[in-house]
Amino acid sequence: MLQIYNTLTSSKEEFQSIQPKKVGMYVCGPTVYDYDHIGHARTYLSFDLLNRFLRYSGYDVTYIQNITDVGHLVNDAEVGADKLQQKAHELGKSVSDIAHMYTDSHLEDLRSLNILSAANFPKASEHIQEIVEFIQGLIENNYAYVTNQNNIYFSVTKKADYGKLSHRTLAEVITGTRVDSAKDKRNPADFALWKASPVMSHEFVWDSPWGRGYPGWHIECSAMIRKYLGDTFDIHGSAVEHVFPHHENEIAQSEALTNKPMANYWVHAGMLTINGQKMSKSVHNTVLVKDALKEYSANELKLALYGTHYRKPFDYTKESLAQGVALRHKLFMAYANTQENANTDAFNRFIEALNDDLDTPKALQILSTETNDFNKEQFEQIFEILGLKHMSISNNPALQELVAQREQARSGADYLTADNRKKEIEQAGFEVLDTPEGTVYLSR
Ligand SMILES: [Zn+2]
């Protein structure tokens, strides 16, 4: 039975789906104005693991991940330039070009990381109707108000349990609100649902009952979730930095509209630092997924990340990554050499560790110390759960040809050719090991 930590209750709970053997899971996707960095990868990999483990446990998972292509209010400061517009200006492209370009790049990164595709990647810009209707509902039941500037805000004081997800009191929220928040709010902690279009021209503005404008960030998720997963669904996830304000505002507006619980389990992945430092553009230490994958395989990256529990901070260092590289080698080596083995004890303990709030450090410890206690079938299940890609060279004719050419070159002492073929095989995703018993080709 899966136990999962729920931010809403601050405790580990036994997971019970609303419908038997079916799970609805939503994870907040990126705002598409830049390439995904390794912090994004950590979040999406944490939920890929949860998705895969639920599937292993017999659940039919409907996984939805949105694309925020309306970039006006990405950080809730409600001031400053629109990130997509800014980037469009910088690169001399249109806002929709920017949205397309970085959406494609995001999806490509997910594929490169061997992350299971979501059932749907709804885009905010294609759900304006749902968003407008959602806001109308909130105005009708008195949780939202329209100002004389045609902005619409959610009134946090109307929601008695506002703050319940991030465990803050309303007074704490108000104290923490930026002093430069919009002047037409009734309360500085109120948050925008809709903003009237600014003077500057913008591609992404829409007509609404309140004139031209664009939606706030939080309302996008609430509206899309309701459309794809209903009023109450099972698991809502994202990175821990979204607990407040993003998820606090999502839960407030969704529950204000439906008067039902929004999600039963709120799951949050921990921070990622680079050599002990917060990743930031100003420090120039951002590691893009694409760049990380030039140095490490997706398997190595995953095994490194899963060495730390998903809720704990992960420090991206040469040493932490080296552990992923070593474990990948060890696992695939054992997989290549494994004998028939009927022992299920180690495998069961591996599963048990994951059932305990996805305790990957413990699970990987079992894999690492008891590597020879798994048989092929068990390894294949483990690879599927962890999302490790394992390829076989023997069913690929093009690679077989390279192998044959390398062997021939080696026997003819043509080491330059042999070396070139080896490099080509490596580039195709293999580690080439020449042992006294012959050459072994392991997936990277
Ligand atoms: Zn969201």
Side-chain angles (χ1 to χ4, degrees):
M1 227 358 155
L2 174 65
Q3 301 271 327
I4 192 94
Y5 185 87
N6 189 351
T7 305
L8 188 61
T9 58
S10 307
S11 62
K12 238 192 270 184
E13 294 175 13
E14 188 168 295
F15 178 73
Q16 275 183 322
S17 57
I18 297 166
Q19 289 181 54
K21 289 293 163 195
K22 274 183 192 291
V23 173
M25 178 162 89
Y26 183 92
V27 173
C28 300
T31 301
V32 283
Y33 70 97
D34 214 337
Y35 295 114
D36 284 7
H37 56 61
I38 198 77
H40 296 117
R42 186 189 191 199
T43 302
Y44 301 127
L45 283 171
S46 299
F47 289 98
D48 186 53
L49 177 69
L50 180 55
N51 185 6
R52 287 170 177 277
F53 190 60
L54 286 166
R55 284 163 198 265
Y56 167 80
S57 308
Y59 291 96
D60 177 6
V61 183
T62 302
Y63 175 35
I64 307 290
Q65 191 203 101
N66 72 302
I67 300 287
T68 299
D69 56 357
V70 178
H72 309 260
L73 296 175
V74 287
N75 58 12
D76 208 51
E78 294 168 22
V79 288
D82 170 336
K83 304 248 184 190
L84 272 90
Q85 176 120 331
Q86 223 170 26
K87 195 73 173 200
H89 185 73
E90 216 176 286
L91 301 184
K93 289 177 184 288
S94 70
V95 174
S96 51
D97 283 346
I98 293 298
H100 281 135
M101 181 169 132
Y102 291 111
T103 300
D104 288 350
S105 164
H106 169 63
L107 298 177
E108 189 191 306
D109 286 346
L110 296 182
R111 280 191 296 272
S112 304
L113 290 166
N114 196 28
I115 287 176
L116 292 177
S117 175
N120 210 322
F121 291 95
K123 293 177 178 165
S125 65
E126 292 171 1
H127 293 80
I128 301 301
Q129 186 58 34
E130 287 84 353
I131 293 170
V132 166
E133 283 166 17
F134 203 111
I135 298 172
Q136 279 174 317
L138 288 174
I139 295 172
E140 272 159 33
N141 65 15
N142 220 17
Y143 280 102
Y145 58 93
V146 189
T147 72
N148 56 6
Q149 294 177 34
N150 285 334
N151 296 322
I152 302 171
Y153 295 103
F154 184 91
S155 181
V156 295
T157 48
K158 292 267 168 68
K159 193 86 180 75
D161 60 2
Y162 187 80
K164 70 174 176 180
L165 181 69
S166 55
H167 309 289
R168 306 170 186 218
T169 64
L170 191 56
E172 284 168 340
V173 174
I174 293 169
T175 314
T177 308
R178 289 170 63 109
V179 279
D180 57 356
S181 76
K183 297 277 183 288
D184 58 339
K185 285 181 181 180
R186 288 181 191 164
N187 186 308
D190 291 350
F191 59 90
L193 301 171
W194 186 267
K195 294 284 264 188
S197 175
V199 186
M200 59 174 184
S201 67
H202 196 291
E203 264 183 85
F204 279 15
V205 286
W206 293 270
D207 288 321
S208 79
W210 320 285
R212 281 174 90 71
Y214 53 86
W217 173 34
H218 319 304
I219 195 74
E220 297 172 10
C221 281
S222 281
M224 289 188 278
I225 287 170
R226 191 164 186 236
K227 176 171 177 179
Y228 293 95
L229 294 171
D231 289 348
T232 304
F233 66 106
D234 297 290
I235 300 171
H236 192 328
S238 191
V240 69
E241 73 224 43
H242 289 331
V243 174
F244 187 88
H246 185 51
H247 285 174
E248 192 67 67
N249 292 348
E250 278 189 29
I251 197 172
Q253 63 203 1
S254 285
E255 296 189 355
L257 184 78
T258 65
N259 208 20
K260 294 175 198 163
M262 185 188 191
N264 287 341
Y265 302 89
W266 291 78
V267 180
H268 293 97
M271 296 268 292
L272 180 140
T273 50
I274 306 284
N275 296 315
Q277 261 193 317
K278 207 178 159 191
M279 203 176 350
S280 127
K281 281 201 171 131
S282 56
V283 193
H284 301 291
N285 64 349
T286 303
V287 177
L288 299 181
V289 172
K290 291 179 202 317
D291 292 333
L293 286 174
K294 283 177 196 154
E295 220 172 321
Y296 304 100
S297 70
N299 291 337
E300 291 163 346
L301 215 51
K302 272 179 219 198
L303 289 169
L305 286 165
Y306 295 160
T308 298
H309 189 263
Y310 77 91
R311 286 195 285 122
K312 295 224 169 85
F314 176 83
D315 196 22
Y316 187 95
T317 63
K318 269 209 153 21
E319 293 71 34
S320 62
L321 269 294
Q323 288 181 16
V325 173
L327 186 55
R328 192 272 311 154
H329 172 85
K330 195 170 185 183
L331 287 183
F332 286 133
M333 196 68 181
Y335 175 66
N337 294 321
T338 184
Q339 306 295 324
E340 263 324 297
N341 173 8
N343 185 4
T344 53
D345 179 58
F347 182 78
N348 290 345
R349 278 184 290 112
F350 170 83
I351 296 296
E352 219 174 281
L354 293 180
N355 265 323
D356 182 11
D357 194 28
L358 302 178
D359 190 347
T360 48
K362 193 169 173 189
L364 296 193
Q365 184 66 30
I366 294 166
L367 287 183
S368 175
T369 54
E370 301 170 52
T371 324
N372 298 325
D373 293 344
F374 298 94
N375 62 36
K376 264 210 160 44
E377 197 190 319
Q378 290 167 342
F379 268 128
E380 280 160 13
Q381 282 184 307
I382 289 165
F383 295 162
E384 185 58 34
I385 291 168
L386 297 177
L388 304 181
K389 262 192 275 191
H390 66 100
M391 301 180 291
S392 163
I393 208 156
S394 58
N395 52 20
N396 185 322
L399 288 173
Q400 281 296 303
E401 181 56 31
L402 290 178
V403 169
Q405 286 175 11
R406 177 170 183 252
E407 296 306 327
Q408 202 184 3
R410 283 177 88 198
S411 55
D414 178 0
Y415 296 114
L416 183 66
T417 305
D419 212 41
N420 285 337
R421 294 299 165 269
K422 183 183 178 190
K423 278 185 191 131
E424 288 170 60
I425 298 165
E426 285 170 344
Q427 274 160 10
F430 289 90
E431 181 186 5
V432 180
L433 292 170
D434 295 314
T435 72
E437 290 80 39
T439 307
V440 183
Y441 300 91
L442 301 178
S443 283
R444 266 202 72 215

